[in-house]
Amino acid sequence: QVFELGRQFRNEGADSSHNPEFTSLEVYGTYNDYVLMRILTQALIKELQADKRTIVLDTLALTPQQLEKFLPIYDEYQAERKVLMTNASNLNNRLFVADYGGMTDVESKAIMKEAFKLRHERLSLLENTAGKLEKKLPATKVAQFVQIENKITALLHVAVAASVPLVTKTTGVGK
């Protein structure tokens, strides 16, 4: 199998589900059909999620008893975080689309309001999860978990910031 990871730009229209600027992973496999490629893609996503889990668990170095208490809370956190990250991705697409056609003040305010709401929800989720973990684990382990999550989130934010352009077009206050 051969693969290539790269930044792409297609000079096409934009809408809420299509961003002309994106990162793609191209994979080719001899005699692979779409079913095999779908299975490969699903396995890749699962592997990335497992890698994050491994990093978290290796860094925390929990005892078996602590691990038993940690995992249900962590799995719930990850499921809720996935929803928030999907919402953030959708908001980034909305930002790109709005700017592509000419950003209005009304659109700018609505997008900023949603971005602040998402940031607050992500922080609240982490804070609530830390509160649940504090009831089950030593505070140092909880602090390590929060640090790991903050570092991973910072890396993701840098990657997103590099791919989302600054607002460049305005079409006026009234629109």
Side-chain angles (χ1 to χ4, degrees):
Q1 293 185 358
V2 178
F3 73 93
E4 179 179 4
L5 184 66
R7 296 289 301 148
Q8 309 293 326
F9 180 80
R10 296 196 177 136
N11 193 12
E12 300 172 357
D15 60 37
S16 61
S17 64
H18 178 79
N19 184 346
E21 189 174 333
F22 57 95
T23 302
S24 71
L25 172 63
E26 266 185 276
V27 181
Y28 300 96
T30 307
Y31 306 111
N32 286 0
D33 63 3
Y34 74 95
V35 174
L36 288 174
M37 297 310 284
R38 185 187 75 227
I39 291 168
L40 177 65
T41 302
Q42 290 169 338
L44 177 62
I45 291 168
K46 190 173 183 176
E47 187 69 28
L48 290 171
Q49 291 169 338
D51 286 350
K52 181 189 177 206
R53 185 184 186 102
T54 300
I55 290 167
V56 170
L57 295 179
D58 285 353
T59 304
L60 291 178
L62 299 170
T63 67
Q65 296 81 11
Q66 291 171 333
L67 187 62
E68 188 177 317
K69 295 173 185 175
F70 175 79
L71 285 177
I73 296 169
Y74 178 76
D75 290 342
E76 179 185 341
Y77 167 78
Q78 282 301 110
E80 292 179 37
R81 191 171 188 278
K82 182 178 178 182
V83 170
L84 293 176
M85 294 304 281
T86 298
N87 292 343
S89 178
N90 292 340
L91 182 63
N92 285 334
N93 286 341
R94 186 172 149 207
L95 172 64
F96 185 85
V97 169
D99 190 45
Y100 189 78
M103 181 74 81
T104 67
D105 286 344
V106 171
E107 290 167 324
S108 295
K109 286 179 183 180
I111 289 171
M112 281 191 303
K113 183 178 179 179
E114 183 65 21
F116 285 128
K117 178 179 174 253
L118 279 169
R119 184 169 287 216
H120 174 73
E121 288 173 351
R122 284 193 308 260
L123 184 58
S124 293
L125 174 61
L126 182 57
E127 188 175 9
N128 291 338
T129 301
K132 290 176 186 178
L133 289 171
E134 284 178 335
K135 295 174 185 173
K136 308 278 185 178
L137 299 174
T140 52
K141 295 294 184 183
V142 178
Q144 287 175 340
F145 168 74
V146 170
Q147 287 178 311
I148 295 164
E149 285 299 311
N150 283 337
K151 288 180 182 209
I152 290 171
T153 299
L155 291 171
L156 290 172
H157 285 180
V158 167
V160 169
S163 67
V164 176
L166 291 175
V167 173
T168 56
K169 301 177 184 177
T170 58
T171 59
V173 176
K175 293 185 180 181

Coordinates of all heavy atoms in Angstrom, one line a residue, residues 48 60 174:
L48 N -5.7 5.8 15.7 CA -5.4 7.1 16.2 C -6.0 7.4 17.6 O -5.3 7.9 18.5 CB -5.8 8.2 15.2 CG -5.1 8.3 13.9 CD1 -5.8 9.3 13.0 CD2 -3.6 8.8 14.2
L60 N 0.1 8.4 32.7 CA -0.5 8.3 34.1 C 0.0 7.2 34.9 O 0.1 7.3 36.2 CB -2.0 8.3 34.0 CG -2.8 9.5 33.5 CD1 -4.3 9.2 33.4 CD2 -2.4 10.7 34.3
G174 N -24.7 45.8 7.9 CA -26.1 45.4 7.8 C -26.4 44.1 7.3 O -27.5 43.6 7.4

